[in-house]
Amino acid sequence: MSKQNRHQLILDLVQAKGNVQVSELAARIGVSEMTIRRDLEALEQVGALTRVHGGAAAPPSRSYEPAYHARRLQRVDEKERIGRAAAELIHDGETVIIDAGTTTLEVAKALRGRRNLRVLALSLRIADLLADEPGLTVMIPGGITRPGERSIIGAMTQRAFTDLYFDTVVLSAGGVDPEAGVTEYIPEDAAVKQAAAASARRKIVVTDSTKIGTIAFARVCGVEQLDTVVTDKNVDSALAHAIAERGPEVVTV
């Protein structure tokens, strides 16, 4: 088993149980306890979990956002599929906002090689990824960059959308719940997403299935304001149905 797959399994087990002992992780994964301890140390360094005596625990708070590098380790295959599926919904000639996030980064990757797209990136990572694409015009707003995330936030970022009208916005999310709607961990992130969504005719949310049914700290919008939710095939069918009943198409890949 590769280190990436091992880390993914550890995070899944910690998320599912809340608190897991080193001995249980070693037995479930089939490696030594020494290897598990090294893995836990690496995952704690990127903010994916908290080491406790004899094991590891998941952060309990809705206001806690796992670090970007920790999220990059999670649901890698699912995010790639979601990214490709969302990119297929975007047509040449469109003006598009791409939100910051690990799943939206996969959307941006899938747009490489496309023609005649104007893209406003809310992430320095995405802007850098697409900057040299000859068929794309890449824009970035003013604002403040979040360390680690490299997302762009703040009042200046929100004002960038005042006089601009886009065809499509592709949003990431901390959670998507039928009742609570689209939520984020950081209010400043939520405010930028709200401004971006208000300036776009079509609203697409991309998120892996672990975020469906999750409620983070700050509300972005109701699911009835979305056009499409793209997630992976492991999504809870009842939750997917409840979201679809409120209006948006739910695409599973």
Side-chain angles (χ1 to χ4, degrees):
M1 180 184 294
S2 69
K3 181 187 290 187
Q4 177 177 299
N5 289 340
R6 197 167 66 243
H7 285 185
Q8 174 67 72
L9 187 51
I10 290 171
L11 291 173
D12 286 347
L13 290 168
V14 171
Q15 184 178 45
K17 301 191 69 172
N19 191 310
V20 188
Q21 295 296 298
V22 168
S23 56
E24 180 181 352
L25 290 168
R28 291 284 296 273
I29 297 173
V31 295
S32 69
E33 292 189 9
M34 181 68 73
T35 297
I36 292 296
R37 289 192 181 93
R38 286 196 295 266
D39 289 338
L40 295 183
E41 181 178 2
L43 290 168
E44 184 179 51
Q45 287 176 354
V46 298
L49 49 73
T50 301
R51 284 189 296 171
V52 296
H53 181 70
S61 174
R62 282 182 178 174
S63 64
Y64 173 82
E65 180 180 32
Y68 182 91
H69 292 293
R71 303 197 311 274
R72 285 289 290 155
L73 298 171
Q74 297 175 292
R75 310 293 175 188
V76 175
D77 294 339
E78 289 89 342
K79 290 175 182 179
E80 289 177 355
R81 294 199 302 272
I82 292 166
R84 290 193 297 269
E88 290 177 0
L89 300 175
I90 297 169
H91 307 292
D92 290 351
E94 284 198 52
T95 54
V96 183
I97 306 163
I98 302 183
D99 195 8
T102 57
T103 308
T104 49
L105 180 66
E106 298 302 324
V107 179
K109 288 179 181 178
L111 291 176
R112 290 180 294 188
R114 297 284 291 273
R115 310 295 300 180
N116 193 27
L117 286 177
R118 185 182 295 272
V119 177
L120 186 146
L122 290 172
S123 158
L124 296 182
R125 286 188 175 87
I126 290 173
D128 186 58
L129 177 74
L130 299 178
D132 292 326
E133 287 293 313
L136 306 183
T137 300
V138 179
M139 307 165 60
I140 53 174
I144 300 166
T145 58
R146 286 183 60 199
E149 290 293 316
R150 302 190 71 190
S151 58
I152 307 170
I153 59 171
M156 190 181 299
T157 313
Q158 295 171 52
R159 286 197 298 271
F161 296 105
T162 302
D163 298 317
L164 298 175
Y165 301 93
F166 290 84
D167 294 308
T168 301
V169 60
V170 181
L171 295 170
S172 61
V176 181
D177 181 80
E179 299 293 334
V182 180
T183 52
E184 260 303 345
Y185 292 97
I186 308 299
E188 292 82 358
D189 278 345
V192 170
K193 292 175 194 289
Q194 289 169 353
S199 73
R201 176 180 54 83
R202 180 173 59 152
K203 301 165 184 61
I204 300 172
V205 165
V206 293
T207 182
D208 70 77
S209 59
T210 64
K211 306 288 184 63
I212 303 295
T214 294
I215 302 172
F217 182 62
R219 193 171 193 265
V220 177
C221 65
V223 294
E224 64 276 3
Q225 295 174 257
L226 305 176
D227 295 280
T228 309
V229 176
V230 185
T231 188
D232 62 78
K233 61 185 178 182
N234 298 314
V235 66
D236 182 280
S237 58
L239 285 170
H241 180 70
I243 290 170
E245 279 194 324
R246 292 177 176 265
E249 179 185 12
V250 177
V251 177
T252 59
V253 294

